[in-house]
Amino acid sequence: MRKRAITARNGDGSALRRYRITDLFSRTLFFAEFSEVTGIHEYAVDVRYFADELETTEQQGEKAEAPAALYRDGRQILQSDVPSVFPVPGGVIEVVTSMYGLRRMHFVSDSGPESLLRPDPLAPEGLRARFARSFPRMSASVGRAAVIVIVVGVAAAVPQTLEVLGVFTSPLRLPDWLNGTLAVATVAAGVERALTLRSHRLVDIGLNLELDE
């Protein structure tokens, strides 16, 4: 993540809520352990996809869940809007979301190397990782298919979008049902890529173009 403009605020000390299957579409949770003078401590990053920005909730005088929060040994120590940069021992944790889910959930050390945090087993990313471990070949095939769908979706949407903008007359004419199918498939492929944290800007472009149709 190139920009680190968003500054984390002090947390409220609340306890980390255990991940439930009912959180599947609204929340995700990742963990990492870091060594400190006092020993090994567990850090967790809790992301709420539909949470309002912190400034908005403050203006409304409400106490609400932060879009992203950092926990140490089960207690909230920092909260932030997204994208987020949380300082932790030896580096920072970068959190970036997209319309599909997560784009980044990485620890970036002070010396440069980065690593992905560990997803909660019940979180979508954790379930996708379990699928990859259990069925590596099938998982790889699903990933390749997702990339192909995204490329096809973008290739089909670009000329039609340019025609709507009056740039040129598109030679491509797709029926509404096929455009709709491509849009749904592109969204599904984008979600699949996000679950492996291998999303790309092309994914967001594809969905934006499909939705503009």
Side-chain angles (χ1 to χ4, degrees):
M1 186 170 68
R2 296 179 182 177
K3 297 182 179 179
R4 295 185 175 181
I6 294 182
T7 303
R9 308 181 186 183
N10 290 330
D12 58 15
S14 59
L16 175 64
R17 185 168 65 82
R18 197 170 70 179
Y19 196 90
R20 301 184 180 92
I21 198 66
T22 53
D23 298 325
L24 202 58
F25 300 106
S26 61
R27 176 187 178 216
T28 192
L29 183 62
F30 281 72
F31 297 92
E33 286 74 36
F34 296 103
S35 178
E36 302 179 44
V37 176
T38 53
I40 304 297
H41 295 272
E42 182 182 70
Y43 284 74
V45 179
D46 189 348
V47 177
R48 311 294 178 113
Y49 292 119
F50 304 114
D52 291 331
E53 293 185 355
L54 295 176
E55 184 177 352
T56 300
T57 58
E58 289 174 355
Q59 291 174 348
Q60 296 173 347
E62 299 176 356
K63 181 180 179 181
E65 297 166 334
L70 179 69
Y71 292 76
R72 179 180 181 271
D73 294 335
R75 291 291 173 180
Q76 188 185 111
I77 58 173
L78 294 171
Q79 54 184 319
S80 173
D81 293 325
V82 288
S84 312
V85 178
F86 291 120
V88 293
V92 297
I93 294 175
E94 297 181 347
V95 182
V96 182
T97 60
S98 71
M99 63 183 70
Y100 293 95
L102 282 180
R103 177 170 286 162
R104 280 183 68 78
M105 179 62 79
H106 290 73
F107 166 69
V108 182
S109 69
D110 292 333
S111 58
E114 60 181 51
S115 58
L116 179 65
L117 272 65
R118 183 181 75 257
D120 188 283
L122 291 180
E125 296 83 1
L127 296 174
R128 180 64 178 84
R130 183 186 303 177
F131 173 73
R133 291 192 299 269
S134 301
F135 309 98
R137 292 185 179 179
M138 187 179 299
S139 174
S141 297
V142 170
R144 287 192 293 268
V147 172
I148 292 173
V149 168
I150 292 168
V151 171
V152 171
V154 172
V158 167
Q160 297 180 79
T161 301
L162 292 177
E163 182 176 46
V164 172
L165 297 176
V167 177
F168 83 117
T169 301
S170 173
L172 185 64
R173 289 287 185 276
L174 297 180
D176 291 342
W177 68 266
L178 184 53
N179 274 326
T181 300
L182 281 175
V184 172
T186 300
V187 171
V191 170
E192 194 284 328
R193 291 292 78 195
L195 292 181
T196 61
L197 277 82
R198 294 177 180 174
S199 184
H200 190 274
R201 292 188 184 278
L202 183 64
V203 177
D204 293 332
I205 292 173
L207 180 60
N208 287 332
L209 290 176
E210 292 288 356
L211 293 180
D212 287 340
E213 287 297 318

